[in-house]
């Protein structure tokens, strides 16, 4: 593995086209914090499979278009080379592309929107990084804020209609449902879909590809992703969330990202960090439920905002956890192949 | 008084259990900025009386559980000793406990929620303090954001139902009401309940206990609390707020905190500071009404968010007011008994 | 021109009353970033004409009262003299006055509200400037946040009723309308009203006065204002926005400010800056549509929030654009007549 990556790195260094390909693959890997082109290939396969299985191949295409546009804009804006090569200016772009193509109807304007959103995500990435540098990275905040604004605007534009957006409504008290208690098989499905929903996919095959993609880069990341998904599903079940949300992975994808981020990227592992990460993961489930409710009147999805909010909150007091050096900076400007 | 406190301090220094009791009492006092265990006892009496009078003793118990959990978590997170001993990591916790037990139905999950909320409030306190250090303290922001997220989430969890939460609705223009002009007695009640509502209580007896608790620690604080409450009730009356909100103290508890904070803690007193504090207090009434409206679609209460917002806005330009040294730092890290 | 301004400056330096008049005129010019008393006179003429033509002269009067109150409060708060003389503490005040008188019914309390809002806008200006200093100016954020809070509060105050506020409602999917394709004449009207709506006016005469006011101070500013308005109208048309919003200038006033701010004030011109500014201008149209939707449940207007949000987002990564020195600081503290 190491040898293959080293060979690839020397190839990429010798060709502008291969370097650009490398940047885009790493961008896809960075959605789950992996600065690794092989991970990017496996993630891309997961996206492609998930889109194909859902009968919407345009979603995968929009993701690819968006990540390419984002990295081109980043080059035009003369962003720092090291961060660019690590894929840090593309991972928000691909998520913008996937989300817009998932939630909006197909059409010429969709592609204008995808490219515009990808370009803006780079500007927001630059800005957010400047603001949050003292305590961590921008995470997927650029994706969330850009996509929210673009989706909200479609309610005022006849050229861009939503297909999968929730219906706007005011908040209502929880309606008790006919509780058919969840079986283990359903909970297991919820765990896997919690992982694939990070890329807005409901597919166990995609989830397995994502786990493999994580494992080839970092076993710890794969373990925290799986552990985070299990903890999230159990927490949602304990508090009595709706079955469909649990089994569809819709309360688990943000906690998965929180678990990877706090458990492996920003803090060095220790039992204190594991407990701290577990608390943050449980709280992310609550914040996911809370934002689902809070965004009801606006008829937009929460996306990964719960992950961003909770991870920022739990990163801010980082210096209080023993053995937590400034790892975040390494993640923001990785020096070479991870 | 001084002697009793000095004796108590030497006792607390000699015993871990007494020190922990001391920390929790000071935490209760810090809700109104008093680093004083005697104030804490009187405030606790006010809470107990208010809960008992409202037929909900579990509310006081939840407050006590929450403050204890918060301080234990703070110790586990190795927070700075001085701040811990001053009660600065517990005052948000007790408010989280009181609010959750006030707005949610009793049950086993409520206690899980109270302990989870108390633990998270400490993390948020650490993080917020890091962000706002340049211009002031975290105030009750950790309480507000943690409780909002927990309450919002309950609309998606069948295990946790609200009992006293407002019904979600869209904003509607003000409905003129049959104006029975308020009598002096009703305005006076509004003034007292504005003070007790700081702890989510509607009780004049609790208000008197709180005023005594303030007075034993700082006469100026008691005076600004009373003055703030009077100014708030008059402002709300002038603008034509609903009678029930005025007499129930529901437009006055945030202004009371603004008045104490700006008038006695963060700025040194002078006539300019008094005028500035009065402007902030009046504006807090408007922000309370504004947030009541803005939160209508989400069906959650404003809590003390108006106090946090206005006090931060009015603290930011602090260096422009003459005679305003960096008093805030002293408040954040008090060296000894106040 | 230069000579007249130099003569005026020496007159103003010799008389407290003339200096105060000068400050208020510059405050009006600063709404569009012009530190120039002649621009202020022409802008004031535009406001007066627009208010008179709309049959609401009280709106212009409220603007004048507000700018005077704001500058008096700024003097009382001992703000920095240079910024005060450049009109930087008054431009939010006049906008607060214009907006409150536009959206609220006339009456004694309106004037209390106008003066209170003007005073608070100065405090918020001081605070916001402290926070955003590292990357730019406060822009019209103090106007937006102060006016939002004051307008929201009126739904809870019977003494202050809205006349022109939108009705609260939840977000609904776009309703296709009978599309009578816009004629060139209507698009042209949209361009002009996009400029006059910066001051909440729907008047082509006012727009021309504003353009002349810009031109006497800075030809580039006039050009970017006009170019921004054209780009905004075309963008809104392309995405299929409602005709009434386009022709009324209601999707274009924020983009006009974005174009001036990024194109002429904060970045030094170059072809890269023009492209960057164009991207920001297009995105401001989208954010305007998005905030119109997002604010629907609260029944308040977006005001210039889209301009503030997008300009901040696009200013944060400033150092990445070549030839972009710290021009912003010059704008915040202009040394003399521009």
């Amino acid at each position: 593995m190491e040898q293959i990556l080293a060979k690839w790195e020397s190839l990429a260094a010798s060709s502008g086209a291969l370097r650009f390909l490398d940047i885009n693959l790493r961008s896809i890997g960075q959605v789950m914090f992996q600065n690794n082109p092989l991970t990017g290939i496996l993630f891309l396969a997961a996206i492609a499979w998930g889109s194909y299985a859902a009968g919407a191949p345009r979603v995968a295409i929009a993701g690819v278009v968006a990540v390419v546009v984002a990295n081109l804009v980043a080059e035009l804006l003369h962003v720092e080379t090291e961060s660019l090569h690590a894929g840090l200016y593309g991972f928000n772009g691909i998520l913008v592309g996937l989300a817009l193509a998932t939630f909006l109807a197909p059409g010429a304007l969709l592609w204008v929107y995808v490219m515009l959103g990808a370009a803006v995500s780079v500007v927001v990435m630059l800005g957010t990084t400047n603001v949050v540098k003292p305590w961590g990275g921008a995470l997927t905040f650029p994706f969330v804020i850009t996509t929210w604004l673009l989706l909200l605007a479609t309610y005022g534009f006849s050229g861009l209609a939503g297909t999968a957006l929730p219906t706007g409504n005011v908040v209502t008290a929880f309606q008790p449902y006919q509780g058919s208690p969840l079986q283990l098989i359903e909970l297991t499905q919820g765990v896997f879909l919690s992982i694939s929903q990070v890329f807005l996919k409901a597919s166990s095959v995609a989830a397995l590809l994502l786990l493999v993609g994580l494992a080839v880069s970092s076993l710890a990341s794969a373990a925290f992703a799986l552990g985070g998904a299990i903890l999230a599903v159990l927490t949602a079940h304990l508090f009595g969330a709706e079955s469909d949300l649990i089994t569809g992975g819709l309360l688990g994808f943000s906690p998965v990202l929180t678990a990877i981020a706090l458990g492996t990227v920003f803090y060095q592992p220790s039992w204190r960090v594991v407990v701290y990460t577990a608390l943050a993961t449980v709280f992310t489930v609550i914040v996911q439920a809370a934002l689902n409710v809070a965004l009801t009147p606006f008829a937009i999805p929460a996306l990964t905002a719960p992950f961003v909010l909770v991870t920022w909150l739990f990163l801010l007091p980082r210096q209080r956890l023993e053995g937590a050096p400034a790892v975040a900076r390494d993640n923001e400007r990785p020096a070479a192949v991870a």
Side-chain angles (χ1 to χ4, degrees), chain A:
Chain A
M1 188 71 72
E2 299 275 320
Q3 280 179 315
I4 298 173
L5 286 172
K7 188 153 187 187
W8 166 255
E9 177 58 25
S10 71
L11 269 173
S14 67
S15 152
L18 286 183
R19 171 60 72 204
F20 192 69
L21 175 62
D22 181 63
I23 290 173
N24 283 292
L25 291 176
R26 288 175 194 269
S27 293
I28 300 173
Q30 286 284 8
V31 171
M32 283 179 154
F33 299 100
Q34 306 309 317
N35 180 13
N36 187 313
L38 186 55
T39 302
I41 290 174
L42 287 158
F43 283 11
L44 187 56
I47 295 166
W49 173 266
S51 301
Y52 174 77
R58 71 175 181 280
V59 173
I61 298 170
V64 172
V65 167
V67 74
V68 169
V69 168
N71 280 315
L72 286 175
V73 169
E75 291 197 353
L76 286 174
L77 289 175
H78 300 182
V79 303
E80 197 200 350
T81 308
E82 224 176 338
S83 300
L84 177 71
H85 284 189
L88 290 174
Y89 287 100
F91 71 91
N92 281 290
I94 189 171
L95 289 172
V96 169
L98 294 176
L100 291 178
T102 299
F103 295 116
L104 298 180
L109 276 182
L110 170 62
W111 299 99
V112 175
Y113 231 50
V114 165
M115 287 186 279
L116 185 64
V120 169
S121 78
V122 178
V123 175
V124 181
M125 179 69 186
L126 278 161
T128 309
T129 303
N130 278 350
V131 171
V132 305
K133 208 180 294 171
W135 76 81
L139 305 178
T140 54
F141 178 78
F143 154 58
V144 171
I145 192 76
T146 305
T147 307
W148 274 354
L149 291 168
L150 290 166
L151 288 180
L152 278 172
T154 61
Y155 292 103
F157 293 148
S158 63
L160 287 148
T163 58
L165 285 168
T167 329
N169 212 330
V170 287
V171 173
T172 51
F174 189 88
Q175 301 297 323
Y177 53 89
Q178 288 296 330
S180 57
L182 291 176
Q183 307 295 323
L184 185 61
I185 180 79
E186 293 167 309
L187 291 176
T188 308
Q189 187 196 320
V191 168
F192 280 99
L193 267 49
S194 291
I195 295 168
S196 69
Q197 287 288 4
V198 170
F199 286 94
L200 298 98
K201 302 283 161 253
S203 158
S204 295
V205 175
L208 287 173
L209 284 166
L210 294 173
L211 280 173
V212 175
L214 284 171
V216 300
S217 169
S218 154
L219 280 175
S221 294
F224 270 96
L226 195 59
I230 292 170
L231 186 55
V233 164
L234 291 179
T235 303
H237 191 53
L238 169 74
F239 283 130
E242 264 186 276
S243 310
D244 286 357
L245 294 179
I246 299 175
T247 56
L250 294 170
L251 293 172
F253 61 93
S254 272
V256 162
L257 289 171
T258 302
I260 304 176
L262 291 176
T264 74
V265 179
F266 290 105
Y267 287 119
Q268 283 190 333
S270 75
W271 75 265
R272 285 163 58 80
V273 164
V274 170
V275 172
Y276 193 70
T277 301
L279 175 64
T281 304
V282 168
F283 192 58
T284 307
V285 178
I286 288 169
V287 174
Q288 182 82 47
L291 289 197
N292 285 350
V293 168
L295 294 173
T296 303
F298 309 109
I300 52 172
L303 305 175
T304 51
F307 151 63
V308 175
L309 178 58
V310 174
T311 303
W312 277 351
L313 284 177
F314 277 71
L315 277 178
L316 270 165
R318 58 194 312 171
Q319 69 275 24
R320 288 290 156 207
L321 284 199
E322 284 174 348
V327 181
R329 224 186 26 224
D330 293 349
N331 177 262
E332 279 180 64
R333 302 180 187 178
V337 178

